[in-house]
Amino acid sequence: MSEDWYRVGIDVGSTTIKVVVLDARGELAFRSYARHFSEVRKTVESSLETLAAGDVLSPETGVSVVLTGSGGVGVAEILGFPFVQEVIACSRAIEERAPHTDVAIELGGEDAKITFFTNGVEQRMNGSCAGGTGAFIDQMAVLLKTDAAGLDELSSRAKNLYPIAARCGVFAKTDVQPLLNEGVAREDIARSIFQAVAHQTIGGLACGRKIRGNVAFLGGPLNFLPELKNRFIETLAVQPENQVRIEDSELFVAIGAALHGKESATRPFAEVLAAFRKLAFLSVEGASALRPFFLDDAERQAFYAQHEKARVRRGRLEDYRGPVFLGIDGGSTTTKAVLLGENLELLYTYYSSNEGNPVRIVGNILEDIYDRLPEGAHIVASSVTGYGEALIREAFRLDHSEVETIAHYKAAKHFLPEVDFILDIGGQDMKCLRIRDGVIDNILLNEACSSGCGSFIETFAAAGVDQRGGEDGEGTAFFDVARRAEETLGLLQGVGVHAAGKHLAGGRNHSVVGACEPCQRVEQNDNVLLVFGETLGLFDHHFGHLGVARRRLVERGGDDLALDRTLHLGDFFGALVDEQHDEFDIGMIGRDGMRDVLQHHG
């Protein structure tokens, strides 16, 4: 083999980009590991610019370049470089660097794999959910107000374990939030999160096949988070002599790609660098595009006019005199409240995170209401709904409580008397309610995937996708975004390669509706009410993200409304039922008693 050529491996993963350079002896001459935040092109180019600035390669040095990873195929197609599938790249690296390995467990940003090397190569990989991956760990870290490294440090001081679901980040939050509310140590929650990841990976992927022999742990999370790795080792009871010790395990797939490089395919490094610098001006053929939300301004204005029907009548609390009715929605992560006047005018609203202490937040709301309530106005009845209805009703002695589904229907019927179908998208759940003859006939709830919920939208926002979908309704290209986490990755990587983020923002709205389609079919003449609870808190005015409602779900329906106050629909019901209640028996706790409650709950 010639001594003057090098092999470059580039692993474009779901959340990170790894670049390695191997010299003629197979030694690692350069390494780079960086998060791309969906900016694939910029991050790859930046990594190669760093390589060029060093003394490893000169412009004339011959290099072979091989790409791999979930986002690598698009880049390889654009630039004409060879691509190798991740399983093949990983297997090649294992064969050359750790040939005694029987099983490799790899966690990536949004995927997880278990590869068995005994009696042939067999790989198991998560398909439709990113639960239990690096992205899942990042989400859980945010709940504990830290980052992944901080989560690892917390776990090192833990004493207890608690059951937490890792199948879906949304449902894991539902498990974690009560633990936080109950005062469980953050250290114990951190270790429990890592244990959930281990259980999800082993149980979900091994599917009963025994993990035995020599086990290697690959990928960024298992390399940078030793406490996470310890959870796997303890769960599998892997003895020290069976733990395969691999240096640079987070780069292993990129190393495998580099090992596939051939001397016959070399080209000057300057030529390679120039090709990647042109990446921004090239695109992938065959991307699936959708019809714009609105073909022209006339369509937009007609749509806005339709939804003006759903505006809530408002009044000024400071000018109001008479009875008022209080409604509270104690959600799993947020708390909402409204005050209605005797003519159902909206006098007061509140929407915010419950910060892990819903009793404290409701107490603050009541304090604020008492401060603002003018002379001559008085609360005559109160009601609560949501996850925390029992706790809040008991703590503040509210008059009534009701389950969420009934609350949604009651308020929906007020705005749209002939409502047939209610779509409720919240921060952690998504419900389809079918109404027949004035009765809720069928309810379907998402069970194993958060796709289409608030966290789905937040994930895209955090990835740097333009959120202004409502203003991009006449864009020329909207991409058909997949409805499940794993399917979305390829397109998300492509945003950094060849698509403006605003186009994906439009495609995202289509995807949210697409995720709802399997639950219920909206008939031709159905009257549809869209309830986008916590999900669209950023778009409080006139529902804001009207593009969502425009998509196929209701495009050919009968009368469809997206309320301008959907954030408060559940608590609007509470105030509404109070207003309609015949007995004005004030049972709500007084201001002095409320302070005692707040002192008790910290």
Side-chain angles (χ1 to χ4, degrees):
M1 179 182 294
S2 172
E3 295 287 334
D4 58 358
W5 75 287
Y6 289 77
R7 290 176 285 189
V8 178
I10 302 176
D11 178 8
V12 184
S14 53
T15 60
T16 59
I17 289 176
K18 287 76 69 177
V19 178
V20 300
V21 177
L22 302 182
D23 61 21
R25 300 183 304 277
E27 299 295 329
L28 202 58
F30 174 85
R31 73 195 72 190
S32 172
Y33 182 99
R35 289 203 175 205
H36 57 64
F37 301 104
S38 83
E39 294 287 353
V40 173
R41 176 190 59 81
K42 289 183 179 179
T43 310
V44 173
E45 183 180 332
S46 174
S47 298
L48 293 178
E49 294 286 1
T50 301
L51 173 60
D55 56 3
V56 175
L57 302 177
S58 68
E60 297 78 22
T61 302
V63 296
S64 66
V65 178
V66 179
L67 290 103
T68 188
S70 57
V73 62
V75 178
E77 287 179 2
I78 294 172
L79 299 180
F81 288 112
F83 174 86
V84 60
Q85 209 276 337
E86 289 176 73
V87 181
I88 299 173
C90 182
S91 299
R92 178 69 178 273
I94 288 286
E95 289 171 3
E96 296 214 10
R97 302 290 173 114
H100 55 294
T101 300
D102 296 301
V103 182
I105 299 175
E106 179 186 355
L107 290 188
E110 292 185 355
D111 59 9
K113 308 181 196 72
I114 295 181
T115 307
F116 298 92
F117 293 96
T118 305
N119 299 322
V121 177
E122 179 187 0
Q123 185 178 76
R124 314 280 182 84
M125 179 178 178
N126 63 324
S128 61
C129 182
T133 64
F136 171 86
I137 293 171
D138 286 342
Q139 289 183 23
M140 295 301 102
V142 170
L143 276 183
L144 297 185
K145 300 185 183 335
T146 185
D147 55 15
L151 206 64
D152 194 73
E153 197 273 333
L154 285 171
S155 177
S156 68
R157 304 195 304 270
K159 296 179 180 179
N160 303 297
L161 286 173
Y162 296 86
I164 293 175
R167 178 69 177 88
C168 175
V170 167
F171 301 133
K173 288 179 184 178
T174 305
D175 286 341
V176 169
Q177 197 66 51
L179 295 176
L180 290 171
N181 295 350
E182 293 166 11
V184 172
R186 293 166 69 240
E187 290 83 354
D188 292 344
I189 296 176
R191 179 171 292 182
S192 300
I193 289 169
F194 284 161
Q195 187 63 55
V197 172
H199 283 156
Q200 168 65 21
T201 304
I202 297 167
L205 300 184
C207 300
R209 178 166 177 175
K210 297 294 184 182
I211 297 177
R212 51 166 62 103
N214 298 320
V215 181
F217 298 95
L218 308 176
L222 287 171
N223 182 65
F224 297 123
L225 306 175
E227 282 294 311
L228 174 62
K229 182 177 176 180
N230 287 341
R231 290 296 91 214
F232 279 85
I233 290 173
E234 289 189 21
T235 301
L236 295 170
V238 182
Q239 299 303 309
E241 62 271 18
N242 296 123
Q243 299 170 25
V244 180
R245 307 191 186 283
I246 298 177
E247 292 185 9
D248 306 304
S249 64
E250 77 280 10
L251 305 172
F252 225 53
V253 175
I255 291 173
L259 290 171
H260 278 82
K262 298 178 180 179
E263 186 173 6
S264 59
T266 59
R267 63 181 77 180
F269 177 60
E271 182 181 323
V272 171
L273 190 59
F276 277 93
R277 285 170 175 167
K278 294 178 181 178
L279 190 57
F281 309 102
L282 304 173
S283 63
V284 176
E285 298 296 329
S288 176
L290 303 172
R291 176 191 187 276
F293 292 151
F294 308 108
L295 290 177
D296 51 39
D297 190 61
E299 278 196 2
R300 182 194 295 274
Q301 295 307 319
F303 186 68
Y304 284 175
Q306 166 72 13
H307 289 270
E308 285 290 333
K309 300 176 183 178
R311 295 196 67 81
V312 180
R313 187 163 43 130
R314 290 169 172 77
R316 289 167 51 88
L317 180 59
E318 56 267 34
D319 298 333
Y320 182 83
R321 302 295 182 271
V324 296
F325 307 88
L326 171 67
I328 297 173
D329 180 3
S332 58
T333 60
T334 60
T335 301
K336 287 80 69 180
V338 300
L339 281 180
L340 295 184
E342 58 184 339
N343 295 316
L344 298 185
E345 63 269 47
L346 189 62
L347 302 173
Y348 172 92
T349 67
Y350 177 93
Y351 175 91
S352 180
S353 166
N354 63 31
E355 299 175 4
N357 192 336
V359 173
R360 164 63 62 181
I361 295 300
V362 171
N364 292 341
I365 293 171
L366 296 180
E367 285 272 16
D368 185 47
I369 289 174
Y370 282 134
D371 288 340
R372 296 189 185 196
L373 209 60
E375 220 177 296
H378 52 285
I379 300 173
V380 297
S382 55
S383 185
V384 61
T385 188
Y387 288 99
E389 63 172 280
L391 174 64
I392 294 171
R393 181 177 183 180
E394 182 68 22
F396 296 99
R397 297 207 301 269
L398 302 185
D399 299 314
H400 312 287
S401 64
E402 188 56 89
V403 297
E404 287 181 78
T405 49
I406 300 298
H408 280 311
Y409 173 51
K410 186 74 174 180
K413 188 176 181 181
H414 169 76
F415 289 101
L416 190 61
E418 301 303 319
V419 62
D420 302 299
F421 184 91
I422 300 172
L423 173 62
D424 168 27
I425 298 181
Q428 294 193 356
D429 60 7
M430 177 169 60
K431 294 184 284 289
C432 301
L433 282 67
R434 169 69 69 181
I435 316 298
R436 295 189 190 278
D437 300 324
V439 176
I440 299 178
D441 179 67
N442 195 12
I443 302 172
L444 288 177
L445 179 73
N446 62 316
E447 295 177 355
C449 184
S450 65
S451 179
C453 297
S455 63
F456 177 84
I457 295 176
E458 288 174 356
T459 299
F460 273 84
V465 177
D466 191 337
Q467 298 180 40
R468 297 168 294 172
E471 298 303 316
D472 291 326
E474 295 174 29
T476 57
F478 295 91
F479 296 100
D480 195 356
V481 182
R483 284 79 182 231
R484 293 179 179 270
E486 192 64 30
E487 297 173 20
T488 306
L489 299 180
L491 182 59
L492 186 55
Q493 316 312 327
V495 176
V497 176
H498 62 89
K502 63 181 181 180
H503 297 321
L504 187 62
R508 176 191 60 206
N509 296 343
H510 165 82
S511 179
V512 170
V513 172
C516 305
E517 288 175 334
C519 67
Q520 283 278 10
R521 180 170 179 79
V522 180
E523 302 297 336
Q524 177 75 17
N525 297 312
D526 276 352
N527 297 308
V528 180
L529 192 75
L530 303 178
V531 182
F532 287 82
E534 301 172 11
T535 305
L536 299 174
L538 296 175
F539 313 105
D540 195 13
H541 66 290
H542 188 69
F543 174 47
H545 233 50
L546 290 172
V548 180
R550 179 65 179 172
R551 299 319 308 161
R552 293 181 299 171
L553 185 64
V554 296
E555 204 166 27
R556 295 182 177 84
D559 190 11
D560 59 272
L561 297 180
L563 300 184
D564 72 324
R565 274 292 171 190
T566 54
L567 296 177
H568 307 285
L569 190 59
D571 40 305
F572 186 92
F573 155 80
L576 182 64
V577 75
D578 286 338
E579 197 278 341
Q580 295 174 347
H581 205 274
D582 293 331
E583 300 178 7
F584 290 164
D585 180 16
I586 305 177
M588 190 172 73
I589 198 166
R591 190 166 193 169
D592 292 337
M594 178 185 65
R595 286 171 177 161
D596 293 336
V597 172
L598 293 181
Q599 184 175 4
H600 176 71
H601 285 270

